[in-house]
Amino acid sequence: MKTVAMLSFVAVYVLLLLLPNYRAISALAAAAVFALLGIVPLGEIAGAVDWNVLLMLAGTMGTVDLFIRSNMPNRLSDRLAALLPSVKWLIIALALFAGLVSAFVDNVATVLMLAPVGMAIAKKLKISPVAPILTIAVSSNLQGAATLVGDTTSILLAGHMGLDFMDFFAYEGRPGMFWVVEVGALVTVPVMLLLFRKEKGKLYGAELTPVTDYLPTGLLLGTVASLIAASFVPDKPEITNGVICMAFFLVGLILEAVRGRLTANVAADVMKAIDYETLALLTGLFVVIHGIERAGIIDDISHIITSLGGGSLFLTYTIIVWASVLISAFVDNIPYTATMLPVMTGVAASLGVNQAVLCFGLLTGATLGGNLTPVGASANIAACGILRREGYEVSTGQFMRIGVPFTLAAVFTGYVLVWLFYSGIGA
């Protein structure tokens, strides 16, 4: 049974690589095979799925779409343009602002919000929009790991380790991942100054985009505030965060409908904004991962990584971080992270250490490492797609000119800080 499970597991990853447009179907098909073969008993399927993660993602996606429709992100970006007329500093400010937004909003949604601003600025100045748009993408991808709701990988980590919103700011009496990521973001500023040193144009008289509705901003802030408040509630149900995110989204839809701002067509568009493919992908992966865990494959992978590290926590940690950087440059970091988190538990158990340093190292390498190539993260793919629609074809070389220095600066910073902060936590 272990051999069949392993072959099925490998097959689903091959399909994810070869058929990126059919990722959800591949994962669900693999889950069905696991169920039919009895690798995952039918009675365990529902329990294998992390419903809290799925509800958090669906609710946040819906609220973010309402937020985008309100024009608030563009209004905030216009304010930046008014304050920073220098093109070089405006690009840097847009990148940092994209990072700040993506700490609380999905990375792809952040790119969709801010790319039009970068495009408009480039058109006014008659310069190529490639560098500004790609910088927004890699910056948003970088800071997605800063908070619980910033990225799917963070949500997966929180579910695995039982983390709450505030754990990303302070964990076990130490600085949380938020501060690791923010220091990494600051380190990228000199990189951007070097990359955009020749951009000396000026921008004046930027018009402020009118905000059409302030309710979605309140919904988003309310979601974050409620997640923070819930983090202080002891012994709450595991599905609490998911219910909070979904509740704010549904309440928002109802209020918009009562106020007459939500027509049937708009409601349909909002519901379409929820990434059902990612939800289906994760559902299938949860079942598959549960299956390979039951078959003992997770333990086998854990022993292999432990042996490569030679029993040294530091060497094992180093392998996990930098291998994750290389792998996530070509493999979507969502399925990779979902698969590797249980492995981290096994590796930690083999070494007799706390899994925190390994899990946070995995998050650092997998999330920040996606910036190496244009296919390493969904935000990068979205940015390249936006540029392609505008007639700008982005080569791998063009992307890597920005992505590689960003990645090396941010990952090395995170690699050092995660080790310093968490390697001393007791088992």
Side-chain angles (χ1 to χ4, degrees), residues 75-98:
R75 176 61 172 259
L76 295 173
S77 301
D78 292 342
R79 284 289 186 188
L80 281 178
L83 292 171
L84 297 164
S86 165
V87 172
K88 176 175 66 179
W89 281 105
L90 181 55
I91 292 174
I92 293 173
L94 268 176
L96 293 176
F97 180 60

Side-chain angles (χ1 to χ4, degrees), residues 370-412:
N371 279 332
L372 271 182
T373 68
V375 296
S378 299
N380 302 341
I381 295 171
C384 291
I386 291 169
L387 288 166
R388 189 178 301 112
R389 287 195 295 272
E390 293 291 327
Y392 295 89
E393 198 67 40
V394 180
S395 68
T396 301
Q398 277 181 300
F399 184 92
M400 292 181 72
R401 176 178 171 270
I402 294 174
V404 170
F406 252 81
T407 300
L408 294 179
V411 173
F412 184 76

Side-chain angles (χ1 to χ4, degrees), residues 115-152:
V117 180
M119 193 70 69
I121 291 170
K123 287 180 179 179
K124 288 180 181 178
L125 292 170
K126 295 181 173 58
I127 62 173
S128 170
V130 172
I133 302 302
L134 293 184
T135 305
I136 287 171
V138 296
S139 184
S140 67
N141 195 48
L142 160 65
Q143 293 206 53
T147 72
L148 171 63
V149 296
D151 190 48
T152 304

Side-chain angles (χ1 to χ4, degrees), residues 293-315:
E293 194 167 11
R294 289 184 85 257
I297 294 171
I298 292 291
D299 288 338
D300 292 343
I301 297 173
S302 302
H303 292 318
I304 292 171
I305 292 176
T306 304
S307 63
L308 287 173
S312 164
L313 175 59
F314 178 71
L315 182 55

